[in-house]
Amino acid sequence: MGRGKQQNGPTQTAAAANGGRTLTKARHQGGGTPAELGLHVWGVFAAVVALTLGTRFYKLEEPDHICWDETHFGKMGSYYINRTFFFDVHPPLGKMLIGLAGHLTGYDGAFPFEKPGDKYGDTKYVGMRSFCVSLGSTVVPLAFLTVWELTWSLPAATLAAALLLLDTGCLTLSQYILLDPIMLCFIMGAVFCQSKFDSVSNRPFSVWWWVWMCGAGCFIALAFSVKFVGLFIILWVGLKTVSDLWDLLGDLTLPLLVIFKHFLARTVCLIVLPAAIYITCFAIHFHTLYKSGSGDGFMSSAFQSTLEGNKLYQANMPEDIAYGSTITLKNYRPAGGLLHSHWHLYPEGLGAQQQQITAYTHKDDNNLWIIKRYDRNPIAEDPVQFVKNGDLVRLEHVATQRNLHTHQEPAPITKRHFQVTGYGENGTGDINDIWKVEVVGGAEKSRIKTVRSKVRFIHYMTGCALHSHSKTLPKWGWEQLEVTCNPFTRDKNNLWNIEDHINNQLPNGTFAVYQPSFLGKLLESHAVMVQGNSGLKAKEGEVTSQPWQWPLNYRVIWWGNLASLAGAMLVFLVEAVRTQRGFVDPPPLAEKKCSTLSAARWMAMGWALHYLPFYFMGRVLYFHHYFPAMLFQSMLTAIMYDYFLLVVEHKTQPRIHRRIHQWGTAFIFVIILYSFYLFHPLSYGMFGPLADNETSPMYGLKWMESWEI
């Protein structure tokens, strides 16, 4: 009996799901033929597409100046056109596509994109905006098709589309040169392909079964290749896949060989294929950006040696370090900065008020140091003497002529470390300027090599090691990286290498810098991106937000979604209690509820995966981070409305059901339309005083003090 029960369970579940889909479709046909229904649905879909394009492309050229993050992503598109290397915390696909769109529409990559508000003038910027808005516009019709596929309910599919079509936040985000509309397109593409794959799950290994599964694999790869937030759609597809495989494993009518084929197919389509696409994006990225640029300083010396125009490209400088050489020192960790100083002093109350020492990821003359003997300054008549492992040295900052110095004062941020300062006059200081050079893995008295030697600088008096990490100083330190002296000398962040080397007494020679392989560059790029992402902090005056504010913040649509989410959680709880207590619905209703609630649960899961992780992120967060979760929340609202209509249909008389259906649907759409009418100036532009001024046309719309209109 137990075996028989196991055998029938998954089959019954699948039948219920398929039956629910079939019966739900029949319910919404309203007695018409399938051809009539299909014509009606495609007519509504065409209207959705037309309205989406109309609302998104309207006033696309306005404003004719840089808006918000266009200053970043427009500039990065220019870098691709000019082939110059840069650093960003996101994977490259979105920026590459923006650059390609600009190139194809006549933009030459010359506009500087310096700051928001700068006029575009004659720059051909509309092509890049058009590309972003085209991809952003796909979100609305894809939501329609997805909800239709899940419910076969035209009101639900139209509601899902309307919630996104008439949302001013979603509209605005689509109209500018940003990564978000590109990523949202790929996320919705993955959700749609997954829903189509589920619909053909009863025809395994058919052509369309492969097409939709490969489509889901491609879209999750593309989403992740635009932003790391794409990881959450990978998790969503992955959880659905695990659930499907678990059901297959429980179907004892299937041979193990068939189950293995299912597992292998999903491995190829949802792991191998996405990984290949993702790696290919980076291969194109590295191939395109082959010239030295603004991002060099974030990468290791070995990585920089692959960039044309960088001093380390086919390096032509002295190989062995000698006393009197002018050098730069780069921290060896991923995204490590160059040892740096400037005339500014540490503020009062933070150790000694001596010259600041920092690490800086950009190259300038304040990164230059002279390496000297510990007991005297160099003179022109000195013979060449090479610096060796174990030597005692001093480092003099070229621009300010102050020595690298430490003492037993706490560092400004990392209090368990010692403060590092610039001290002395004209290269003359005191005994706290002396450092011992240690080469990792080097023989005693071996020479220090440019780029290739990994070096520690151990302070002679205190025994601490010169150290840098990802912590940034406040504005008094120009938000550069903190440099300290670490009592724990074996910390990996204590390692440095000589990156640039100038010495007119030594012959320049071309020496082999160990250029990284493609895999090495790929791994280093990810280490630097993760480091940069986790270290993002808000700039002064920048508008940031917290995750708890996002669902509550904007408008009627978002508040309606929030109410729907709460209602869905209540329905899930009630249905679980009813099932546990043995309540059984009539078969037709049970099958329909099973199908609808299953779709609703997966939408709720998608919302949670794209929202809750932000509570655990240490980086700065912005309002636009909520939009992927909002896609799932809007589709959940539509599906729960279909569930409401389903229950009403089976609990009331047909006449009452029709009235609730018609008037309820009309009321919801009127509210959404009126909300868009009220707030559409947020997308298309406002005139007159700010909203807190009584004479402003927007004055009455500032419903919450937290709103910045």
Side-chain angles (χ1 to χ4, degrees), residues 538-553:
K539 298 179 176 64
E540 186 176 0
E542 193 173 35
V543 179
T544 62
S545 60
Q546 296 299 318
W548 67 267
Q549 299 171 327
W550 299 341
L552 305 172
N553 199 10

Side-chain angles (χ1 to χ4, degrees), residues 555-592:
R555 316 186 335 226
V556 174
I557 289 176
W558 288 46
W559 292 342
N561 277 345
L562 186 62
S564 174
L565 178 65
M569 298 300 109
L570 181 61
V571 167
F572 296 158
L573 177 62
V574 169
E575 290 296 330
V577 171
R578 291 182 78 247
T579 300
Q580 190 68 14
R581 295 297 299 169
F583 288 93
V584 179
D585 291 309
L589 177 60
E591 292 168 356
K592 297 171 191 175

Side-chain angles (χ1 to χ4, degrees), residues 34 68 74-75 97 113 124 126 129 134 142 166 300 330 381 400 429 513 519 537 542 553 576 582 629 676:
W68 189 38
K75 184 184 297 181
L97 293 175
F113 285 95
K124 296 183 178 180
V126 176
R129 280 190 182 174
S134 296
L142 283 173
L166 301 175
S300 69
K330 183 172 180 63
E381 293 76 17
T400 62
V513 176
L519 180 59
K537 305 297 180 186
E542 193 173 35
N553 199 10
F676 179 74

Side-chain angles (χ1 to χ4, degrees), residues 23 38 57 79 90 294 358 401 404 407 423 434 469 487 509 538 644 663 689:
L23 289 171
F57 277 90
Y79 287 142
H90 304 299
S294 62
T358 66
Q401 296 185 294
L404 188 70
H407 41 232
Y423 179 75
I434 300 175
H469 45 205
F644 169 75
W663 287 101

